[in-house]
Structure formats: C-alpha cells, structure tokens
C-alpha cells in the first residue's frame, strides 16, 4: 500500500490525466497543491495531444502507391 | 487482412493503405512539416511495406511495422537535410561524432522551410508549433504515445529503443511542450 502523503510520480500523473489513477492515490491530490498544479499542467498538454487531428494525404494516394507495388494477380501473373 | 495481403491481393493491399494512410501520413507530416515531402515518404513507406509483406512477422503488430518504416524514413530524411544544412553553414563546435549527430539533427530541425498556406493552417497552432520544436526522437515517441495511443512497450518495440529511453523521451517531451506552451502565454 502506498502512503497517501507520497507525491505522485510522472507515471501516476499520466494515469490521473487519463482518468486511470486508482482512487486511493488520486486522493493525494486533494491534500497536495504541489501535485495538483503539476497534474493539471500535464493533463492540459496530454489533452491537446490526444485531440490532434489526423491529416489525409492528397486524393489518389492509394493509386500512386499501388502503381509501384507488385500485385500477385489472381491468374498467378506478377503485374507491376 | 494481413494474411490475405501476404498473398499479394490487390484489394487487400488497397484496404491496408486505406486503413493506415492517415495515421502514417499524419506522423510523417508532423515529423517533416512539409506536405509534399510527407506524402513522398508515406508513399515510400507503403511501397516498402507492401513489397516486403512476405517478410512480415505476425508476432509483431502490423501497425508497429509500418510506423517503424515510416519513422526511419523521416529520421533519415531529417538527418540528410541537417547534414546539407551543416555543410552549407559550416560545422558547429561539435567535437565527437555523437555531438556532430546531435547538433546536426537540431540544426536541420531549426532550419525549417516556411510553411505554405495549407501547411500553416494545419500545423500553425500553438501545440503543433511546440511539437515542431522537439527533437525528432522525442517527437515520434510523443506522437505514438498520445496520438496513436501506443503503450510504452509498443513504442520501444516500434522504435527499437530501450523501454527506459522511451519513458525518458516522453517525459522530457511533455516537459518541453509545457514549457513552450507556457512561454507563449507570458
Ligand atoms: Zn504531492
């Protein structure tokens, strides 16, 4: 059992930011403003990272790839 | 799907491209911050993966294999580019080969070409610019961790890094990001 007065380590802060820290450890945040500030800052960065958009390559990307891939045709021939 | 693709079926290959083109392109785009170049590297990645699919080992996560090849392509590019930059600008005060590599990667990284209109709309936000300031090695770790949701173990396997190094990179990366984002507010 971890002592409730022990500061959270980086891994625990990451877990907390993701809502995964066990309640027994999360309780430490109620009493420790040092960890609270640290955890809040970390949560903000992680949230921004998690919300980053996915970008798509331009149209026809798959065709350009496929044009250069060896496909084993159903007939058994190799086509470029 | 991968087993089917291993037999070289066109439809399976297309499905794999469709499934992974966005994550792979997004990683590369954030690594090199140039749309056309990221697309070239993504294309190179998929061609390597699909032409080499027979050597794929199923005990390895398929997406890890793709990200490994994509990341190597990006790091190689950044390294080449930084060597060009160095030879143009003259070597810095680096003395050992390791120092040369370290400084050259950073130099190349800073000597960033200006973003065009689309790029600055996509990569101009504070968080994207903060990510751009990270060392490339930190950048791929943090993107795999928080954009792709990889575990530390998966990142270590994907990037061929010791687990402890991955943890250190990610913690430092988040620290640096916090610093860059705080700077902006002052
Ligand atoms: Zn504390």
């Amino acid at each position: 059992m971890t002592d409730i007065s022990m500061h959270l380590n980086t891994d625990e802060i990451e877990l907390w930011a993701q809502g995964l820290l066990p309640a027994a450890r999360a309780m430490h945040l109620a009493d420790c403003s040092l960890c609270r500030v640290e955890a809040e800052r970390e949560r903000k960065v992680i949230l921004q990272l998690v919300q980053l958009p996915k970008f798509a390559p331009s149209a026809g990307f798959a065709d350009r790839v496929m044009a250069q891939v060896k496909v084993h045709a159903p007939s058994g021939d190799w086509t470029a | 799907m991968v087993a089917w693709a291993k037999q070289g079926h066109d439809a399976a290959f297309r499905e794999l491209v469709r499934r992974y083109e966005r994550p792979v392109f997004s990683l590369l785009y954030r690594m090199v911050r140039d749309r056309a170049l990221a697309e070239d590297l993504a294309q190179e990645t998929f061609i390597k993966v699909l032409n080499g699919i027979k050597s794929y080992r199923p005990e390895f996560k398929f997406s890890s294999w793709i990200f490994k090849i994509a990341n190597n392509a990006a790091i190689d590019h950044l390294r080449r580019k930084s060597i060009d930059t160095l030879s143009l600008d003259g070597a810095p005060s680096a003395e050992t080969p390791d120092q040369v590599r370290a400084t050259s990667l950073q130099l190349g990284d800073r000597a960033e070409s200006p973003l065009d209109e689309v790029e600055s709309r996509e990569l101009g936000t504070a968080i994207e610019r903060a990510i751009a300031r990270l060392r490339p090695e930190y950048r791929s770790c943090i993107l795999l961790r928080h954009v792709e949701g990889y575990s530390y173990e998966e990142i270590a396997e994907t990037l061929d890094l010791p687990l402890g190094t991955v943890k250190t990179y990610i913690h430092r990366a988040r620290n640096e990001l916090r610093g860059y984002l705080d700077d902006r507010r002052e």
Side-chain angles (χ1 to χ4, degrees), chain A residues 14 41-42 55 58 64, chain B residues 26 39 145 152 174 182:
Chain A
E14 186 178 327
R41 289 183 70 204
E42 194 79 333
F55 299 113
S58 61
R64 291 193 294 282
Chain B
S26 299
E39 219 169 288
R145 177 76 191 101
Y152 288 100
R174 280 209 302 262
D182 286 349

Side-chain angles (χ1 to χ4, degrees), chain A residues 7-8 28 32 35:
Chain A
H7 290 310
L8 301 187
H28 171 80
C32 179
C35 283

Side-chain angles (χ1 to χ4, degrees), chain B residues 145-165:
Chain B
R145 177 76 191 101
H146 294 298
V147 179
E148 294 308 321
Y150 272 38
S151 68
Y152 288 100
E153 289 78 9
E154 285 170 334
I155 297 170
E157 189 185 67
T158 302
L159 302 181
D160 276 329
L161 290 170
L163 187 58
T165 307

